[in-house]
Amino acid sequence: MGYTFLSSQTASTSTSIDFTSGIDGTYDEYLFTIVNYKPVTDPDQICWQVDTGTNTSYNQTITSTSFYMGTNDTGSWTDFAYHTGGDQAEGTALQRLSYGGEGTVDPSLTSSGELRLYAPSSSTYMKHFTSENNLIYNSSGNRANTTMHIAGYVNTTTALTRLRFAARTGNIATGTFTLYGVS
Amino acid sequence: MATKAEHITALKAKHSSLTRLVNGVKETLSPSEYEATIDGWATNSAARDARNEIIANGGASADYASFRTDPMVDGSYPSIPDQLDKLYHDITDGKLDETGSWYLAVKATKDKFTKP
């Protein structure tokens, strides 16, 4: 398996990070990495959506499933659970990647992870995706870690050509978003 | 708890314009995109305020079942092991009634997050 760097963008108080080129039929799999995402508004999740052609609505129909596990630095809290807040049932909203997003409470805390999109250019099949994301956040003075796993499909047989990352609410303060082709 | 309209006012005061990155190039949102983005942010913020209000103080909500069962929500049902432990002690103490610790714990959750 080889990774081919396609493009990278670094947020700077950005409403969204859009990839509108590079997603085509060249590769069967595309990997997006998100490094040190931090929202302006605490505790807003990093989310994404896709679109077709040159459309800019970013509201494709998505069905997804989600679970998380977490612990805090004192060990007083641990959890492993399905997360209804991260799933969609034929929804058109932004699809979450993370459980939350550390904003302004602790400057050193961020979240990082990846999103994989499979055969986005297929004109026959719906489009699968998988993602995992790790979040460090401040919870009532304790540092907590939550990793979130989400997978699902985009319910369209039209080729996907573009992908947008955005915070659920507010701007993205920082974060590097990189696109690779996987062969 | 701020209303959506109050959030819109606050967001517009904070952001006179909004920019996004498209393939590494910064773009300013058009007036219609700006309005739609502010509206979306305000909608989410108002919904979060309403959720936080219920988590803090309880109340009626169409999402009462998720509040009751989400282990991240303060006041949700105790974990299954904790509930079984409460049942063990209730049986030991002869309190398999409305005075038992299991019944009271479950009742506290149901009383906090109620059906609308």
Side-chain angles (χ1 to χ4, degrees):
Chain A
M1 179 179 289
Y3 295 89
T4 302
F5 170 83
L6 296 177
S7 63
S8 185
Q9 305 184 64
T10 299
S12 178
T13 316
S14 307
T15 300
S16 66
I17 305 293
D18 296 356
F19 290 88
T20 64
S21 67
I23 304 171
D24 53 31
T26 305
Y27 301 94
D28 265 349
E29 178 182 345
Y30 289 84
L31 167 67
F32 296 88
T33 61
I34 302 98
V35 178
N36 288 333
Y37 158 78
K38 198 171 187 63
V40 170
T41 309
D42 186 74
D44 275 298
Q45 302 87 353
I46 181 66
C47 306
W48 61 275
Q49 249 289 4
V50 285
D51 218 332
T52 61
T54 57
N55 296 312
T56 57
S57 297
Y58 292 96
N59 60 354
Q60 292 294 305
T61 302
I62 292 175
T63 291
S64 55
T65 185
S66 165
F67 72 91
Y68 70 85
M69 51 189 167
T71 186
N72 63 6
D73 58 355
T74 64
S76 61
W77 169 78
T78 59
D79 200 10
F80 178 80
Y82 189 85
H83 184 53
T84 55
D87 70 12
Q88 294 199 73
E90 296 293 87
T92 58
L94 286 169
Q95 172 61 50
R96 290 191 193 183
L97 268 176
S98 63
Y99 186 85
E102 179 67 35
T104 56
V105 178
D106 189 329
S108 69
L109 305 187
T110 62
S111 64
S112 297
E114 66 174 47
L115 166 66
R116 290 176 185 268
L117 189 61
Y118 303 93
S121 294
S122 172
S123 59
T124 305
Y125 302 116
M126 297 177 185
K127 318 301 188 295
H128 295 272
F129 67 87
T130 57
S131 69
E132 55 184 3
N133 181 278
N134 196 58
L135 164 69
I136 318 167
Y137 64 102
N138 192 307
S139 177
S140 305
N142 289 325
R143 194 166 57 244
N145 184 78
T146 303
T147 182
M148 194 158 182
H149 296 254
I150 302 174
Y153 63 91
V154 183
N155 187 353
T156 180
T157 54
T158 303
L160 302 177
T161 57
R162 43 188 56 202
L163 186 143
R164 165 174 286 175
F165 290 101
R168 186 163 184 270
T169 301
N171 283 318
I172 302 172
T174 61
T176 300
F177 299 75
T178 305
L179 170 62
Y180 300 89
V182 183
S183 56
Chain B
M1 184 173 71
T3 64
K4 179 180 174 180
E6 289 168 337
H7 278 295
I8 288 175
T9 300
L11 285 165
K12 286 186 173 180
K14 187 176 181 181
H15 305 285
S16 58
S17 67
L18 294 171
T19 59
R20 63 177 167 241
L21 273 181
V22 181
N23 301 323
V25 178
K26 185 180 281 190
E27 291 183 353
T28 300
L29 272 63
S30 70
S32 62
E33 290 171 332
Y34 171 84
E35 291 294 335
T37 301
I38 292 291
D39 187 85
W41 288 356
T43 300
N44 291 337
S45 295
R48 183 171 57 206
D49 285 352
R51 176 180 170 81
N52 289 340
E53 173 68 19
I54 290 176
I55 290 174
N57 301 314
S61 168
D63 293 329
Y64 70 95
S66 67
F67 285 119
R68 290 175 178 178
T69 56
D70 186 343
M72 299 287 272
V73 169
D74 188 29
S76 62
Y77 291 129
S79 68
I80 296 298
D82 283 347
Q83 289 196 43
L84 291 172
D85 188 60
K86 290 179 187 301
L87 282 172
Y88 168 81
H89 287 290
D90 289 346
I91 292 169
T92 301
D93 298 339
K95 287 187 171 180
L96 277 177
D97 56 23
E98 294 183 0
T99 66
S101 61
W102 176 82
Y103 177 86
L104 292 173
V106 171
K107 185 176 188 302
T109 297
K110 289 183 182 295
D111 287 348
K112 181 175 182 180
F113 306 115
T114 58
K115 296 179 184 178

